Amino acid sequence: MEIEGVVTDIIYQNEVNSYLIADFEMEDESTTIVGYLPFINSGDSLKLFGKYVEHKDYGRQFKVDTFEKLMPKTLDALEMYLANGSIKGVGPVTAQKIVSKFGDETIHVLKFEPEKLAKISGISKEKALEISKSFVENWEVWQIVGFLEKFGIGVESAKKVYDLLGVDAIEKIEANPYVLIDIARGVDFKQIDKMAINLGMEPNNEKRIKSAIKYALIRITYNGHTCTLKENLIEFVNELTGVSFEDIENNIINLKVLNEIVLEKRDNGQEWVYLYQFYRAEQVIAENIIKLQNSKNAKKINNIVAKIEKFENKTDIILSEKQKEAIELINDNNVTIITGGPGTGKTTIIKTIIEIYKEKKNKVVLCAPTGRAAKRMTETTGEEASTLHRLLEIGKIDEESLYKKESEYQGAPIDADIIIVDEMSMVDTFLMSYLIKCIYQGTKLILVGDSDQLSSVGPGTVLKDLIQSKKIPTIHLDKIFRQAAQSKIIVNAHRVNNGEYFISKEEESADSKQDFFFIKKFTQEEMLDEVLSLCQGRLKKFGNYDFFQSIQVLTPTKKGALGTKELNKALQEILNPQDENKKEKSSLGAIFRQGDRVMQVKNNYDIFWERWKTGENEETTYETGNGVFNGEIGRITKINDLEKTVTIKFDDDKICSYEFSALDQLEHSYSITIHKAQGSEFDVVIMAIPPTAPMLLTRNLLYTGLTRAKKLLIIVSNSNIVEYMIKNIDSKKRNTGLEYKIANL
């Protein structure tokens, strides 16, 4: 059957798979529609293909097989479409004014005569053009969405395709479907290949084979690799396309000649294949870090031992021999790595370095890969720390373009004598290549991190490769300081890292802190009940811990009853339930409510923020800036239906206003994955570990989770799962060439 009408109300929308339940108004009746309908808002006019079905609980529904988006046919439908938040600068009031003014001419005016919109009060010429651009862009993107949908290519790629290929995107794709592999991350080669073959592409066409090779090299980067063995690449492409090994070899040579890929023959005779940009990023790191190390040690302090003694006397801190050795190593070298687990004294070394070099009037710059890691660095040292993105003035870089050959980013040179980078295990190949290019010769670079934590989200294992090259002076801190050794959190983290089970009651020392609890539960239902109970007030009685001030729930997975998606819903229900005094806004299947804890899940370099800070002498200063980054956590303070905005106050007191159309940048963060928590610390961590995919139940994931807690850690799981994680050191070794490149310079 085929029906036409308007979506009047969205009842349910799944953000992951785009499954939708909505009220649908037709000319003479209304019905409920169900099906997979991506990119749909209230007010959209649709032509639906499907059939009526009878649901045992909800009665008659129209089940959608496929659909088309239509331009609204009535003025009411048009007003509803314009008011739904998808057109920038247009809300219900403006939509009503536009439709009242132009009636049946509205679409023509929006498309072809936008300057006429400026006749309406409140719309300037600039805003009129912006509204028109947004309207046309929305429509063009939708046509591309519809086209790509037929080939199983996700809606998230449509905007990117439009931005890069423009209004004639469909014609360009039809001429060469493989262009999608170069511009849209995460696309499926088989779908594109099927499209190309249907359009008449010959199986052994060069475009097809080259695209398959590049697709394979892009695929490996999703798992953190920067390169792959040539024979493995050839075998994969052969299975993917069915073309001969000889044809694949020839096209590898062609791509090498075009400088799109690089072959690296190593000492053992093995050939490794890279996309050009990944090879170049490793090469930049290797060449620049050795050049920096070999340059004149301009910041060396001659009487360093006396300076260390002076620091000890001034602060009453007694440094261990290993810490003194680390400081002397830093003094003797331009590049130094300090690595070790929690409680081994990394922060004390950083504080000492800051004190000694600042006294010499040297400028010390502190930075970390994420906003939360930088904030923690500021708290532990008392000195301002910045994110690497902000320090390098990377600004608005599209993460996907980093993987392209053209992206030879050159950041702003860093004005510093000493640069200290914390949480180095989170720094990926591209970020490190940008950083190292921005450092003047003669600057000291100190890299601090824990090489046993999870690897970076992006490709590479920079910290491990630098250490294993044996070319960069490295100090391994392995002694837990006495005060830290009283913490069962720290002792257990080190035990896990060494492949040992948690400390037993009998092994505890008399002065052990009661900061670690393992609550054993066997079913997911029991685990969930325990987590909810702990968050609902039990810890208030135990240590006056308030959920919103101190507690963070962590889990290894996004899926299942104890995955972040379901945990967030359950925790929202008990900690911030629906209330007539609290406004809320639905977006992509989630309900954002005033008071909710949320996390930014993608870098937004443009968003404006303001902040009021109270200094030591009670003086209040006002700051403004741009940019909120992936991983930053805050709370919703206000939802404004009139302005269609959600206001969030982040943990560092930044206040930002998000348009309703930008809510896809946010997720609830009552519960977050252990991966997302990396680089952050929380007073109290409740770690729920259900049975899940073995690739998530690894030793370094457990170790990373344990080291997120400052004052109290509670694990809700069972011994079988924990023992499996401790034994499972299969953290998927990443194929990289940085260690090789540095070692051979």
Side-chain angles (χ1 to χ4, degrees):
M1 280 189 74
E2 178 186 314
I3 60 173
E4 276 188 33
V6 179
V7 176
T8 53
D9 187 30
I10 291 173
I11 300 163
Y12 171 78
Q13 196 167 30
N14 185 307
E15 61 185 292
V16 178
N17 63 13
S18 303
Y19 187 78
L20 178 113
I21 303 170
D23 289 334
F24 193 69
E25 187 101 20
M26 294 169 281
E27 201 172 315
D28 47 7
E29 64 168 318
S30 60
T31 189
T32 301
I33 59 169
V34 295
Y36 297 94
L37 292 95
F39 257 32
I40 293 297
N41 297 304
S42 288
D44 285 346
S45 296
L46 306 175
K47 182 190 281 186
L48 306 175
F49 305 89
K51 61 184 176 192
Y52 281 103
V53 294
E54 199 68 34
H55 190 282
K56 63 182 174 65
D57 295 324
Y58 304 113
R60 190 169 183 252
Q61 299 177 333
F62 189 82
K63 190 179 178 196
V64 181
D65 292 328
T66 59
F67 69 101
E68 287 176 23
K69 194 168 180 181
L70 305 171
M71 198 58 88
K73 292 187 175 175
T74 67
L75 293 182
D76 284 348
L78 181 57
E79 186 180 322
M80 202 172 169
Y81 172 71
L82 294 176
N84 70 17
S86 58
I87 309 298
K88 196 172 180 185
V90 179
V93 175
T94 308
Q96 196 267 327
K97 285 181 183 175
I98 292 171
V99 174
S100 295
K101 175 87 175 165
F102 299 108
D104 292 333
E105 291 291 300
T106 300
I107 290 171
H108 176 83
V109 169
L110 285 164
K111 275 184 164 184
F112 305 112
E113 297 183 86
E115 63 279 359
K116 286 186 176 178
L117 294 170
K119 292 177 182 175
I120 295 170
S121 65
I123 299 180
S124 62
K125 278 188 179 176
E126 290 78 14
K127 190 176 179 183
L129 293 172
E130 189 180 65
I131 290 168
S132 172
K133 183 173 178 252
S134 181
F135 179 83
V136 172
E137 192 175 272
N138 257 277
W139 198 252
E140 293 295 346
V141 167
W142 184 255
Q143 303 311 308
I144 295 166
V145 169
F147 175 72
L148 296 178
E149 258 294 293
K150 295 173 191 169
F151 303 99
I153 294 165
V155 292
E156 64 280 358
S157 298
K159 179 79 169 69
K160 183 78 197 296
V161 171
Y162 172 78
D163 288 344
L164 288 166
L165 298 183
V167 287
D168 52 352
I170 292 171
E171 289 79 3
K172 286 175 181 171
I173 293 164
E174 284 178 330
N176 176 18
Y178 298 108
V179 72
L180 289 168
I181 284 168
D182 285 335
I183 62 173
R185 189 165 158 80
V187 298
D188 182 355
F189 178 85
K190 287 178 181 173
Q191 293 283 3
I192 293 167
D193 198 38
K194 189 179 172 187
M195 184 199 305
I197 298 290
N198 288 344
L199 292 168
M201 180 72 71
E202 290 295 327
N204 62 346
N205 185 292
E206 275 193 9
K207 279 181 188 170
R208 179 173 185 251
I209 302 168
K210 282 178 183 171
S211 290
I213 292 165
K214 286 196 280 184
Y215 168 74
L217 291 172
I218 291 166
R219 270 279 298 268
I220 63 162
T221 68
Y222 299 162
N223 293 320
H225 307 294
T226 59
C227 56
T228 188
L229 280 168
K230 184 181 171 186
E231 60 259 36
N232 292 350
L233 174 66
I234 291 171
E235 202 171 307
F236 179 85
V237 175
N238 167 258
E239 285 177 19
L240 188 66
T241 61
V243 299
S244 70
F245 282 24
E246 188 185 351
D247 279 347
I248 299 165
E249 277 265 26
N250 289 338
N251 280 283
I252 286 174
I253 293 163
N254 289 342
L255 286 167
K256 182 176 180 281
V257 170
L258 293 167
N259 233 9
E260 290 193 45
I261 66 172
V262 178
L263 271 64
E264 180 176 73
K265 194 164 190 174
R266 298 190 189 160
D267 299 341
N268 58 7
Q270 287 182 328
E271 271 194 290
W272 292 83
V273 190
Y274 292 79
L275 285 168
Y276 170 85
Q277 188 60 13
F278 286 80
Y279 180 85
R280 180 74 192 128
E282 286 189 351
Q283 194 179 41
V284 163
I285 297 167
E287 288 173 357
N288 283 276
I289 208 157
I290 294 299
K291 190 176 168 189
L292 184 62
Q293 178 66 299
N294 293 340
S295 64
K296 187 185 173 192
N297 189 353
K299 305 298 182 294
K300 183 169 182 174
I301 296 170
N302 293 326
N303 52 345
I304 191 70
V305 175
K307 294 288 182 190
I308 293 170
E309 278 179 27
K310 187 179 174 185
F311 171 79
E312 287 181 312
N313 294 332
K314 183 180 173 184
T315 59
D316 285 336
I317 292 170
I318 306 298
L319 298 167
S320 70
E321 289 308 310
K322 205 77 179 267
Q323 286 176 314
K324 289 176 185 174
E325 188 189 329
I327 293 158
E328 289 176 32
L329 197 69
I330 289 165
N331 190 48
D332 291 338
N333 294 279
N334 287 328
V335 185
T336 319
I337 295 170
I338 311 294
T339 183
T344 56
K346 298 192 296 290
T347 301
T348 304
I349 292 170
I350 294 173
K351 283 180 177 173
T352 312
I353 290 296
I354 293 168
E355 189 73 28
I356 289 172
Y357 284 93
K358 277 181 77 175
E359 195 184 65
K360 291 279 291 178
K361 300 287 186 281
N362 283 321
K363 184 176 179 184
V364 182
V365 166
L366 308 183
C367 55
T370 66
R372 289 188 69 81
K375 186 187 176 207
R376 186 156 66 93
M377 205 179 181
T378 300
E379 289 166 353
T380 54
T381 62
E383 299 285 330
E384 193 64 38
S386 159
T387 62
L388 280 164
H389 280 84
R390 198 173 292 289
L391 177 69
L392 300 172
E393 296 179 19
I394 286 177
K396 192 177 179 183
I397 283 194
D398 172 6
E399 271 80 352
E400 288 177 30
S401 69
L402 303 184
Y403 299 173
K404 304 295 179 282
K405 186 178 163 184
E406 316 81 66
S407 177
E408 284 283 347
Y409 174 75
Q410 182 64 56
I414 302 165
D415 175 22
D417 298 303
I418 320 291
I419 298 169
I420 304 174
V421 187
D422 199 8
E423 294 289 354
M424 258 306 293
S425 63
M426 298 178 73
V427 175
D428 66 27
T429 303
F430 285 103
L431 198 50
M432 188 64 191
S433 71
Y434 299 151
L435 171 65
I436 202 72
K437 282 195 287 186
C438 296
I439 299 173
Y440 288 116
Q441 298 301 300
T443 301
K444 278 193 184 296
L445 176 63
I446 304 160
L447 306 174
V448 184
D450 185 344
S451 57
D452 293 313
Q453 280 192 27
L454 292 167
S455 297
S456 55
V457 175
T461 49
V462 174
L463 182 61
K464 279 182 183 166
D465 287 354
L466 293 175
I467 293 168
Q468 287 170 0
S469 74
K470 302 213 169 23
K471 285 280 189 86
I472 310 299
T474 301
I475 200 106
H476 293 268
L477 302 170
D478 47 17
K479 176 180 174 283
I480 309 175
F481 281 85
R482 193 184 68 77
Q483 195 178 351
Q486 293 170 5
S487 165
K488 287 181 2 191
I489 298 171
I490 289 174
V491 170
N492 282 325
H494 283 272
R495 285 178 74 103
V496 164
N497 202 29
N498 294 329
E500 300 168 58
Y501 195 70
F502 302 144
I503 191 169
S504 66
K505 269 266 184 253
E506 295 72 43
E507 293 172 293
E508 283 180 31
S509 61
D511 55 0
S512 280
K513 289 184 197 167
Q514 295 308 302
D515 61 357
F516 178 95
F517 297 93
F518 182 14
I519 299 174
K520 293 175 184 170
K521 297 291 175 188
F522 286 89
T523 69
Q524 296 214 37
E525 291 75 17
E526 288 175 331
M527 289 182 199
L528 179 60
D529 288 345
E530 192 66 32
V531 170
L532 298 180
S533 167
L534 285 163
C535 294
Q536 226 174 341
R538 271 165 65 188
L539 296 178
K540 190 86 176 161
K541 294 168 193 162
F542 176 80
N544 199 26
Y545 294 121
D546 171 72
F547 183 89
F548 288 100
Q549 297 300 317
S550 310
I551 301 169
Q552 182 62 57
V553 177
L554 302 183
T555 173
T557 179
K558 291 181 180 179
K559 297 173 183 172
L562 283 157
T564 52
K565 294 235 180 308
E566 293 304 319
L567 267 173
N568 273 317
K569 284 180 192 166
L571 287 164
Q572 182 194 39
E573 205 171 296
I574 63 163
L575 296 166
N576 191 31
Q578 194 171 20
D579 183 323
E580 60 183 28
N581 297 317
K582 288 180 187 170
K583 289 197 169 180
E584 50 185 55
K585 166 67 184 160
S586 293
S587 173
L588 299 169
I591 295 168
F592 291 105
R593 189 173 293 139
Q594 206 172 321
D596 272 345
R597 183 192 276 177
V598 291
M599 176 189 270
Q600 178 81 15
V601 292
K602 53 179 84 167
N603 290 337
N604 182 334
Y605 301 93
D606 295 332
I607 193 164
F608 172 81
W609 56 259
E610 53 188 349
R611 171 166 55 202
W612 285 265
K613 281 178 88 172
T614 305
E616 289 172 19
N617 34 352
E618 298 303 308
E619 278 184 28
T620 301
T621 55
Y622 176 66
E623 293 178 287
T624 61
N626 293 85
V628 177
F629 300 101
N630 189 351
E632 293 196 48
I633 290 175
R635 286 187 76 185
I636 296 175
T637 56
K638 187 179 176 185
I639 296 175
N640 188 322
D641 290 323
L642 196 65
E643 293 179 11
K644 291 188 173 297
T645 57
V646 172
T647 303
I648 294 164
K649 185 176 186 180
F650 286 94
D651 285 355
D652 60 356
D653 296 325
K654 287 198 302 268
I655 296 169
C656 295
S657 191
Y658 288 73
E659 292 179 7
F660 283 175
S661 57
L663 292 180
D664 62 334
Q665 297 177 33
L666 299 169
E667 282 178 7
H668 287 104
S669 61
Y670 295 95
S671 169
I672 60 176
T673 61
I674 295 168
H675 274 93
K676 278 281 188 197
Q678 197 175 356
S680 303
E681 270 190 347
F682 309 94
D683 284 347
V684 179
V685 167
I686 299 168
M687 189 156 46
I689 313 176
T692 186
M695 62 181 284
L696 292 173
L697 297 176
T698 62
R699 182 189 294 176
N700 65 353
L701 191 93
L702 178 60
Y703 173 68
T704 301
L706 290 170
T707 53
R708 299 309 93 210
K710 280 196 285 190
K711 295 179 182 175
L712 179 63
L713 174 70
I714 301 167
I715 295 176
V716 181
S717 188
N718 62 62
S719 302
N720 294 340
I721 294 172
V722 169
E723 282 172 11
Y724 178 84
M725 290 181 89
I726 292 168
K727 287 175 188 161
N728 184 14
I729 53 169
D730 179 25
S731 54
K732 298 282 179 283
K733 184 185 179 308
R734 294 181 170 190
N735 295 324
T736 70
L738 181 59
E739 179 193 338
Y740 174 79
K741 289 179 180 66
I742 295 171
N744 283 274
L745 278 172

